[in-house]
Amino acid sequence: MDVTRQRGELQGLLVLMGSLSHGLETVLGRGAATVTFRAGRTVGLKADVRERTTDVERALVLLGEELRAVGIVWPFELWKPEAAASFFYDKDGKQAAKLVFRNCMVRCSLFRYGHEQRQSLCLMNHGLFCGYLQKILGKRVGLEILHAGENACLKELVVHE
């Protein structure tokens, strides 16, 4: 299959994903975000992970590998202000870090469909991310969108003890 045809099929799928999430939000309203987050998280929690660790930085590397192993290309990286000594900081007694997501299929699908970010489709991905990371770390985690933009999203990861 040639690249042009593959791209056309992918773009069609992206529009379908945007349309489905928009329809879900219309039907369920505010509950759509909870439903999709939990669905993604459940998938992540049921995944067979090859390695577990309690080190958050190592766990993020493993998470990226696990996602790629199942065909999910969702690159992310730790981010900190230049003046900060570490990627990790204390947030209300919990370990936290900021992550940048530059190339995101969900963001692309929402732009293609013309639907806003920070809704159910984003939260399904967040649930998947959190479920996998919880499985690797053995600790509950949260992921909050601090900034959703055209070129990248900045999110805050919080690890719960």
Side-chain angles (χ1 to χ4, degrees):
M1 184 183 303
D2 68 9
V3 175
T4 304
R5 183 171 172 197
Q6 284 179 328
R7 179 169 287 165
E9 288 178 4
L10 178 60
Q11 288 175 340
L13 181 59
L14 294 176
V15 169
L16 176 64
M17 287 173 48
S19 175
L20 289 172
S21 67
H22 184 215
L24 182 66
E25 291 159 11
T26 301
V27 171
L28 294 179
R30 294 175 62 186
T34 302
V35 169
T36 56
F37 178 85
R38 288 187 57 116
R41 186 171 169 269
T42 299
V43 170
L45 286 171
K46 288 183 177 181
D48 291 325
V49 297
R50 293 170 288 186
E51 186 180 334
R52 295 175 191 229
T53 182
T54 56
D55 177 75
V56 178
E57 195 163 358
R58 173 76 181 136
L60 289 168
V61 171
L62 294 172
L63 171 60
E65 292 171 3
E66 293 291 341
L67 291 175
R68 283 189 297 282
V70 295
I72 299 172
V73 180
W74 194 30
F76 58 88
E77 61 198 61
L78 285 164
W79 180 86
K80 67 178 179 69
E82 221 174 276
S86 172
F87 289 113
F88 299 96
Y89 54 92
D90 180 78
K91 181 176 182 177
D92 302 324
K94 298 173 185 87
Q95 188 176 21
K98 290 188 172 63
L99 300 171
V100 173
F101 293 76
R102 297 186 196 283
N103 184 12
C104 178
M105 184 183 289
V106 169
R107 185 172 59 245
C108 292
S109 69
L110 294 173
F111 283 146
R112 179 87 176 160
Y113 179 72
H115 192 54
E116 64 184 284
Q117 297 178 81
R118 299 181 181 220
Q119 302 293 325
S120 62
L121 202 52
C122 288
L123 291 172
M124 181 185 66
N125 253 17
H126 287 183
L128 183 69
F129 184 97
C130 291
Y132 263 99
L133 193 55
Q134 181 175 336
K135 185 89 180 235
I136 293 167
L137 275 174
K139 299 176 184 177
R140 193 169 179 90
V141 298
L143 190 64
E144 180 185 341
I145 302 169
L146 301 176
H147 169 78
E150 289 182 28
N151 298 319
C153 293
L154 179 64
K155 302 174 186 193
E156 183 177 52
L157 172 69
V158 177
V159 180
H160 303 266
E161 294 300 323

